[in-house]
Amino acid sequence: MTDLRWKTTPYAGWGRALKATGPLARPDTRNELTEAAFPAHGNRRSYGDAPLNSAGAALDMSRLDRIIAFDTKTGVLEAEAGVTISTLARICPVKGWLPAVMPGTGFATIGGAIAMDVHGKNHHNKGSFGQHVKAITLLQGSETRTITPKDKTLWQATVGGLGQTGIILSARIQLSPCAGRQMRVTETRASDWAEHIALLDASDATYCVGWIDATATGDALGRGIVEEAEIAAGSLPPAQTPTSRAVPFNAPHFALAAPIVRAFNQLYYHRVPEEGRTLLRPMQDFFFPLDRIHDWNRLYGRRGFHQFQCVVPPDQTDALRAMAEAIATSGLASPLAVLKKMGKGRAGYLSFPMEGFTLAVDFPNRPAAVQLIAELDRLTEAAGGRIYLAKDSLGSGSTVRAMYPDYAAWRDAVEKADPDQRLATDLIRRLGLRSPS
Ligand SMILES: Cc1cc2nc3c(=O)[nH]c(=O)nc-3n(C[C@H](O)[C@H](O)[C@H](O)COP(=O)(O)OP(=O)(O)OC[C@H]3O[C@@H](n4cnc5c(N)ncnc54)[C@H](O)[C@@H]3O)c2cc1C
């Protein structure tokens, strides 16, 4: 690593509640990486401490962002780890292709999407990101090797494996055919929990996601808007795409106070007419609705925020309802709350997805929210579900290890790949994921 330039700097995950300070290097070319000795991260769009290493140095891979090859006949694309999902969503549709799976932010990099085995609004159809990866080039110590799904244990420990088997340098990905560059979106009001779950359950749309008013209580508990979407031919004229905005400073602590959030959610729910509506939207707006407001995480102020995301099996929607009720009556929820049906698809030992329903809600970083999230984690475990490590910043090691049935297989493979634990991050240490069991 002698060619690397290091700068000691404070940095954080997207939630900004957990922070690290240490030497960071941002290599421009893979030739600068002659040995893998430090944990790597992408754009730190994980909320908690997965991309942090306060015990030493870390590699920011975001400048390794070259497309290496793109076969426009087969839709197989090879790219460096720092290429973002939004870059692919911008350039591939022109050639009739799109990443099969895209998370809710286009700032996620290919390395981060693999290491978290991310899911999108089509998980029920297309499974997770890692299921569409054909090969990964890893730097392990001074060795570079390309692995495929045939490298069974190492593959499954790498995809969704939190970057613990080596630095992901590049990957070969199978894209999906894509007919156009806009989305036909149908929005339907769900007036309560039962209707919301029923709409998600019955949907046969390619993309489907529910926004849930996490402040609604009583008869309105679980109300929200279900969005179902298909890719549509053609593209909307650029004039319809508003320009980017940025949040210029940390918002004061009352910016997301309970009455403001309640009022906002009320308006947001009623923006869709009672009978629903169908409209065309630019693709990037549909997939990455928050990306146009840069640094929106500053809305939560200096103390930052936490996201709770869990998934529970299909027969545990009552448990999820109990969580929604605890959230709604806490006065702590933010407008960012999502409910979605998931399919079975997952690619690695520590991949988050499982068949069932997933709920994600943001909370300002306050002692009451920390307590509430501990309770939500407990309810998730009792329901036979799991929490998402891309979002977690508060979970306990024993709970998380119990939630992931293939945890021991991941740990064994990771210890073989990185025996000196040089790739361990703050998340790994906080949850004791690589400690002897
Ligand atoms: C607004 C928003 C919406 C989101 N929506 C979704 C969603 O719908 N579905 C979903 O699944 N996730 C979602 N996420 C989470 C996000 O997709 C993941 O956290 C993703 O991993 C972020 O990518 P990143 O490149 O920023 O990775 P980072 O956060 O920087 O890193 C994530 C993990 O990957 C490892 N890693 C990153 N790059 C490399 C590399 N080159 N080599 C080895 N290890 C590496 C890191 O060590 C870390 O463990 C969302 C996040 C935000 C902020």
Side-chain angles (χ1 to χ4, degrees):
M1 298 280 182
T2 46
D3 292 343
L4 289 171
R5 272 169 296 142
W6 297 95
K7 187 176 171 203
T8 295
T9 181
Y11 62 107
W14 187 244
R16 304 202 311 159
L18 301 185
K19 298 188 167 90
T21 298
L24 277 188
R26 294 177 77 191
D28 287 301
T29 67
R30 56 193 281 176
N31 293 340
E32 290 169 52
L33 293 168
T34 50
E35 198 193 333
F38 310 103
H41 61 243
N43 276 325
R44 300 198 305 269
R45 252 42 187 199
S46 297
Y47 284 61
D49 46 3
L52 311 185
N53 183 23
S54 40
L59 293 171
D60 173 339
M61 301 292 282
S62 59
R63 282 193 186 148
L64 288 175
D65 60 354
R66 291 159 193 86
I67 307 279
I68 299 165
F70 184 9
D71 183 335
T72 54
K73 284 204 184 77
T74 60
V76 175
L77 176 133
E78 187 169 4
E80 289 182 334
V83 169
T84 61
I85 299 295
S86 104
T87 300
L88 298 185
R90 188 166 39 80
I91 62 172
C92 298
V94 183
K95 303 285 182 193
W97 299 96
L98 190 69
V101 171
M102 292 190 287
T105 174
F107 287 105
T109 64
I110 288 178
I114 292 174
M116 284 299 178
D117 195 17
V118 299
H119 57 273
K121 297 177 172 76
N122 58 350
H123 183 268
H124 54 297
N125 286 317
K126 288 282 191 174
S128 64
F129 189 87
Q131 291 182 286
H132 305 273
V133 179
K134 295 167 84 74
I136 298 169
T137 300
L138 276 181
L139 184 62
Q140 295 183 307
S142 52
E143 305 280 316
T144 302
R145 69 185 282 199
T146 298
I147 61 169
T148 71
K150 287 189 181 145
D151 295 276
K152 291 188 171 47
T153 48
L154 180 57
W155 182 264
Q156 291 200 68
T158 300
V159 181
L162 311 171
Q164 298 302 293
T165 59
I167 296 175
I168 299 166
L169 293 175
S170 60
R172 204 155 65 238
I173 299 161
Q174 176 67 62
L175 305 170
S176 272
C178 165
R181 284 187 278 161
Q182 60 183 340
M183 306 298 292
R184 183 176 304 282
V185 185
T186 298
E187 296 176 319
T188 309
R189 274 196 203 173
S191 56
D192 60 19
W193 178 263
E195 193 182 2
H196 206 147
I197 292 288
L199 283 169
L200 294 175
D201 212 14
S203 173
D204 56 8
T206 307
Y207 298 94
C208 181
V209 66
W211 167 80
I212 179 170
D213 176 354
T215 63
T217 51
D219 288 348
L221 181 79
R223 76 172 179 181
I225 295 163
V226 172
E227 287 188 4
E228 297 174 278
E230 305 293 338
I231 296 171
S235 59
L236 288 168
Q240 293 201 9
T241 310
T243 47
S244 303
R245 298 231 156 76
V247 175
F249 48 77
N250 289 308
H253 71 276
F254 55 81
L256 286 169
I260 296 177
V261 175
R262 260 198 307 279
F264 175 88
N265 283 6
Q266 177 84 4
L267 284 174
Y268 195 78
Y269 176 71
H270 286 98
R271 109 202 124 84
V272 170
E274 214 170 334
E275 65 281 10
R277 65 179 179 188
T278 297
L279 61 170
L280 289 171
R281 280 169 69 186
M283 198 172 242
Q284 301 249 354
D285 286 8
F286 173 74
F287 286 115
F288 318 128
L290 291 165
D291 282 1
R292 266 189 289 115
I293 310 168
H294 285 284
D295 301 328
W296 61 258
N297 52 353
R298 291 182 180 181
L299 286 172
Y300 289 89
R302 276 184 206 288
R303 283 182 291 181
F305 68 111
H306 301 285
Q307 183 171 104
F308 166 78
Q309 183 170 6
C310 72
V311 58
V312 298
D315 61 356
Q316 291 294 322
T317 53
D318 283 351
L320 208 55
R321 187 185 190 284
M323 292 186 219
E325 194 158 14
I327 293 165
T329 51
S330 70
L332 291 164
S334 77
L336 295 169
V338 170
L339 190 58
K340 180 173 165 27
K341 186 182 176 191
M342 286 191 132
K344 285 195 174 113
R346 65 201 302 264
Y349 295 131
L350 282 198
S351 294
F352 167 69
M354 66 189 268
E355 190 174 19
F357 290 87
T358 177
L359 174 68
V361 186
D362 286 353
F363 298 104
N365 178 19
R366 291 195 213 132
V370 171
Q371 261 178 17
L372 174 65
I373 292 171
E375 175 62 5
L376 298 173
D377 284 3
R378 197 190 61 71
L379 292 170
T380 303
E381 188 183 7
R386 55 175 77 115
I387 58 167
Y388 191 10
L389 297 176
K391 310 293 178 67
D392 176 58
S393 43
L394 294 166
S396 90
S398 56
T399 307
V400 167
R401 289 193 294 267
M403 288 172 170
Y404 284 85
D406 297 328
Y407 160 71
W410 171 81
R411 192 176 163 275
D412 289 352
V414 159
E415 288 317 306
K416 231 187 252 174
D418 176 40
D420 299 328
Q421 305 205 352
R422 293 190 297 176
L423 302 178
T425 56
D426 286 2
L427 172 120
I428 298 291
R429 285 183 290 271
R430 175 170 60 83
L431 297 176
L433 294 181
R434 296 188 60 184
S435 312
S437 33

